Amino acid sequence: MKAIVVHEYGGPEVLKFEDYPDPVAGPGDVLVKVVAASVNPIDYKRRAGLTKDFYPIQFPGLIGVDMAGTVLKIGPGVEGFSVGDRVFSMADNTYAELCVVKAANLAKVPEGLDLFQAAALPLVTTTGNQLLLATGVRAGHQVLVVGAAGNVGRSAVFTAKQRGATVIAGVLKKQMDEAKTIGAVQVVATDDDAAIASLPQLDAVADTVGGRTAETLIAKVKPGGVYASVVEVPRNAAKYPSVKVVHVFSKFDRRALESLAEAVRDGKLMIPIGQKRPLSEAAEAQAAAEKGGIGKILLVP
């Protein structure tokens, strides 16, 4: 098969479009023909060697965690899937024409949702959902979602609204108009000190950005509230012992993924797709993704 092969850590130029051995479905596995994979920050961080201490690449190796496609073969012991099923997943080695996925980590694409849109969803929707759930917010609570215009943030906003919470969307000044479309009751510019100062005391913060903004926002959480983050936790968290700080690592959740995908299909949640590029242009796709601001980028074998 053709795949994006990485021989060393480095910039986008280390992503090579090459022949690579076809993967084989073993016990509990499903072999999928990839229709599209999506580019995520974890992909280019891994390519650059920033995750090598806990998520290394075995050279020469493949990368990629999101994909959608159709089932080609079923491994021994697999139930619930058939050849030809439309599926999507958070997997490994998805920048390729073929991908092997554990059946336990595979979901069926809802009827009416195309495979390209499905490929954009697994990591960002699951992460946003689990980030928000980690805050413990419920009806009557007020939560600030930081980075709400991003795809993880959008998914967190959606989950918060489902739980009946009052949602404030935290975005950059340049994203204010865009953020008005994601369903929050209020939008605040996180790069505006006066706007941050005017925030009420919050039951929780769901953070997808981190950095110095986090150090300011943790002070806005009520005693007994929660600051949940998918990036680094606030460096000054020790100064706020009454705030529960949670670092969230996303895990595959079939039920949540299928439910969020149905929401996308029904127009209740929007995960914008900015570009579709041939798999052979993975280097250019990652370079564009690192600059940000263009929605999800899909790689099409």
Side-chain angles (χ1 to χ4, degrees):
M1 68 174 182
K2 290 290 188 181
I4 297 299
V5 185
V6 185
H7 297 269
E8 61 182 333
Y9 294 120
E13 70 279 356
V14 304
L15 301 177
K16 305 298 184 183
F17 185 61
E18 298 176 352
D19 290 318
Y20 196 81
D22 289 0
V24 177
D29 292 338
V30 176
L31 178 65
V32 178
K33 180 180 180 182
V34 178
V35 169
S38 74
V39 176
N40 290 289
I42 188 64
D43 301 338
Y44 43 81
K45 290 177 182 179
R46 195 172 178 220
R47 178 214 74 216
L50 300 179
T51 66
K52 60 184 177 183
D53 290 340
F54 61 92
Y55 192 19
I57 301 172
Q58 300 299 321
F59 300 123
L62 310 184
I63 61 172
V65 296
D66 272 349
M67 71 88 201
T70 56
V71 174
L72 282 182
K73 291 183 180 180
I74 303 292
V78 172
E79 297 180 355
F81 293 97
S82 303
V83 172
D85 281 350
R86 300 181 333 125
V87 294
F88 60 155
S89 179
M90 288 165 55
D92 284 315
N93 306 334
T94 63
Y95 285 21
E97 292 179 324
L98 302 172
C99 180
V100 162
V101 187
K102 288 292 181 186
N105 293 336
L106 196 61
K108 293 183 180 179
V109 176
E111 289 295 326
L113 183 69
D114 74 63
L115 287 172
F116 294 105
Q117 182 68 74
L121 304 183
L123 184 60
V124 295
T125 59
T126 301
T127 301
N129 174 264
Q130 293 174 1
L131 170 64
L132 193 285
L133 294 180
T135 68
V137 298
R138 57 186 185 273
H141 282 181
Q142 195 166 41
V143 58
L144 172 68
V145 177
V146 187
N151 295 311
V152 174
R154 288 169 179 266
S155 303
V157 169
F158 176 79
T159 301
K161 290 172 61 182
Q162 280 194 314
R163 294 178 69 83
T166 299
V167 187
I168 301 173
V171 299
L172 299 175
K173 291 177 184 177
K174 65 182 181 181
Q175 298 171 318
M176 292 288 283
D177 288 339
E178 178 186 0
K180 293 175 183 177
T181 67
I182 64 176
V185 298
Q186 181 182 346
V187 180
V188 61
T190 53
D191 51 350
D192 182 333
D193 291 342
I196 295 299
S198 68
L199 281 170
Q201 288 295 105
L202 303 161
D203 295 289
V205 172
D207 186 8
T208 72
V209 177
R212 287 201 287 180
T213 302
E215 297 177 29
T216 302
L217 290 174
I218 191 171
K220 290 293 182 177
V221 181
K222 297 175 181 177
V226 179
Y227 197 105
S229 176
V230 293
V231 284
E232 71 271 16
V233 299
R235 296 178 183 176
N236 60 340
K239 295 181 179 180
Y240 301 90
S242 65
V243 176
K244 181 181 179 181
V245 177
V246 182
H247 195 188
V248 178
F249 297 92
S250 59
K251 299 179 180 179
F252 179 78
D253 183 331
R254 178 183 290 128
R255 182 175 296 180
L257 176 57
E258 291 177 345
S259 176
L260 289 159
E262 289 171 357
V264 171
R265 176 198 62 195
D266 297 340
K268 298 175 182 177
L269 170 63
M270 181 179 294
I271 304 297
I273 294 174
Q275 297 180 9
K276 295 179 184 177
R277 287 177 173 264
L279 180 62
S280 59
E281 296 181 7
E284 293 87 345
Q286 282 203 0
E290 287 185 85
K291 292 179 181 178
I294 56 173
K296 291 289 285 185
I297 300 178
L298 301 184
L299 297 174
V300 182

